Amino acid sequence: SLFMITLKRSTMSIRYRLTWITPPQTLEEIDYLFQWINSYLTEQAILPVRSLSDLKIQPLFDPKESLSIQFKFDVLNAAVAEKLRTTLWRDVFQEQIQGPHPFVVSLVAETGAVEPKKLVVFDMDSTLINQEVIDELARKVGVYEQVAAVTEEAMQGHLNFQEALIKRCALLKDLSLSEVLSLADELSLSPGAEALLRTLKTHEMKTAVVSGGFQVLLNHFQNQYGLDFVYGNELQVSPQSLLTGAVIPPIVDAQAKQDLVKRLKEQLGLNQNQVITVGDGANDLKMMQEAALQVSFCGKPKLAEQVNTLILDRNLGWLNSLL
């Protein structure tokens, strides 16, 4: 149609890249995915990809044998791309797709995809590491159930992050600093994280952790893995080296996370296209706005529904395939 031809030729259109990483597929399955994605493009009045030969299909073997399938197409504006992303993500979450469920899905403007990345910012709990630190500390004190109840209150929207953190930290009163530090040896990096950090260092990319967790443990991980920047919350400690149950302000919440990433970008002289943010929860949502590649790592729905990149398989090594 005339509309579609005009759309294709418009100098105002924006090129997008959809990356779909799955277990190995047969040619028949790839063709089905091709037709399926094209149906979404057509639904949003986007000119479909012409043929299978226009796809970039690449076998991957790390972190596991897989296939990276890349679609490129032009959209009239970012709002159209956002509508497409929302629709696709909905069906990914609801498993409305036939064929192998993807390990990774990413829909990013080509300008944001191709510019070399200089900074990767991670959340800590359940992202860079497998555990939630405050839960592990609560187990040491024997107050896990009480802490979990406060967490649930926050998840139900009855408490904001700051209120929930203050309430949970109060339950850790009189835990010794040595016990907090001993937890460092019990925490484990998420699958693929150690190899990823080595790769980022090899490519001279800066690494940062911006966390609602605790600075004292972040310092340990910084020393152990050579992280460039770490920012977290400071626990107040008594002269007897016991936790007082208080958190020293300012508290690192969602807004503070965004402000810290913004400050890092300014400090390093970077633009949005040079930054990746990786997290798993609603507290990471604001900092995602500072990056071209916004990664939900097996994230909770409130985050995953709003970012442009989903890692659905619990291995941070998948991030390598998007660099």
Side-chain angles (χ1 to χ4, degrees):
S1 72
L2 179 61
F3 167 73
M4 297 299 260
I5 292 168
T6 304
L7 175 61
K8 185 179 179 184
R9 292 180 179 172
S10 170
T11 55
M12 298 299 290
S13 64
I14 309 166
R15 174 139 285 213
Y16 271 77
R17 177 190 294 188
L18 173 66
T19 305
W20 197 277
I21 301 176
T22 74
Q25 296 197 44
T26 65
L27 187 57
E28 186 181 6
E29 287 173 318
I30 294 171
D31 183 57
Y32 176 83
L33 178 66
F34 170 74
Q35 302 291 346
W36 187 75
I37 295 294
N38 267 345
S39 71
Y40 280 86
L41 298 181
T42 305
E43 191 179 291
Q44 302 301 329
I46 300 168
L47 198 63
V49 181
R50 286 178 302 175
S51 71
L52 276 172
S53 61
D54 290 325
L55 304 183
K56 181 182 177 183
I57 302 175
Q58 181 182 359
L60 304 174
F61 301 96
D62 185 29
K64 60 185 74 170
E65 189 179 0
S66 56
L67 207 59
S68 173
I69 304 169
Q70 201 174 94
F71 299 75
K72 291 185 182 181
F73 44 83
D74 296 315
V75 303
L76 194 57
N77 53 52
V80 173
E82 179 60 13
K83 196 172 177 186
L84 171 67
R85 186 200 62 76
T86 303
T87 309
L88 274 173
W89 272 213
R90 180 199 65 204
D91 285 355
V92 167
F93 297 139
Q94 293 176 1
E95 301 193 5
Q96 296 297 312
I97 53 175
Q98 292 180 29
H101 197 68
F103 296 131
V104 179
V105 184
S106 179
L107 178 62
V108 184
E110 186 77 347
T111 51
V114 299
E115 189 160 352
K117 302 299 178 281
K118 302 290 186 184
L119 171 68
V120 185
V121 182
F122 297 94
D123 173 47
M124 183 70 165
D125 295 13
S126 297
T127 300
L128 194 60
I129 62 172
N130 289 304
Q131 297 83 4
E132 290 284 331
V133 167
I134 200 160
D135 289 349
E136 301 307 312
L137 291 175
R139 285 189 175 95
K140 285 183 176 289
V141 193
V143 293
Y144 174 76
E145 296 300 328
Q146 294 97 303
V147 165
V150 177
T151 302
E152 182 59 27
E153 260 192 286
M155 288 181 72
Q156 295 298 328
H158 303 309
L159 295 172
N160 65 32
F161 177 82
Q162 289 205 21
E163 292 166 334
L165 182 70
I166 290 166
K167 203 169 176 180
R168 287 180 294 178
C169 286
L171 294 164
L172 302 178
K173 188 174 185 294
D174 294 333
L175 181 66
S176 71
L177 183 59
S178 61
E179 282 184 287
V180 175
L181 292 169
S182 73
L183 181 63
D185 296 325
E186 300 168 30
L187 301 174
S188 57
L189 286 179
S190 292
E194 193 165 356
L196 174 65
L197 290 172
R198 284 198 301 269
T199 300
L200 298 178
K201 191 172 285 291
T202 301
H203 289 95
E204 299 184 340
M205 294 169 68
K206 297 293 184 185
T207 53
V209 176
V210 178
S211 171
F214 305 124
Q215 189 69 39
V216 66
L217 289 168
L218 293 177
N219 292 341
H220 169 85
F221 276 87
Q222 181 175 29
N223 294 334
Q224 190 167 2
Y225 298 106
L227 299 163
D228 293 294
F229 309 95
V230 292
Y231 302 99
N233 285 303
E234 294 275 6
L235 293 167
Q236 190 180 71
V237 180
S238 74
Q240 294 75 36
S241 294
L242 301 175
L243 300 190
T244 66
V247 186
I248 300 171
I251 287 174
V252 179
D253 60 5
Q255 185 58 57
K257 281 190 167 197
Q258 182 179 15
D259 293 342
L260 284 163
V261 177
K262 199 177 288 186
R263 195 171 80 195
L264 268 178
K265 284 164 62 181
E266 290 169 2
Q267 183 180 326
L268 298 169
L270 304 179
N271 64 52
Q272 184 171 338
N273 288 336
Q274 296 171 301
V275 181
I276 300 171
T277 46
V278 189
D280 76 303
N283 204 39
D284 302 313
L285 198 48
K286 286 191 173 184
M287 78 172 183
M288 294 288 167
Q289 297 169 23
E290 301 303 317
L293 206 62
Q294 311 156 350
V295 182
S296 161
F297 181 59
C298 300
K300 297 174 183 67
K302 192 167 182 183
L303 176 75
E305 287 166 1
Q306 297 185 60
V307 297
N308 61 29
T309 301
L310 307 174
I311 295 180
L312 301 162
D313 176 63
R314 193 168 178 79
N315 194 312
L316 276 172
W318 291 115
L319 194 56
N320 271 326
S321 62
L322 297 169
L323 295 177

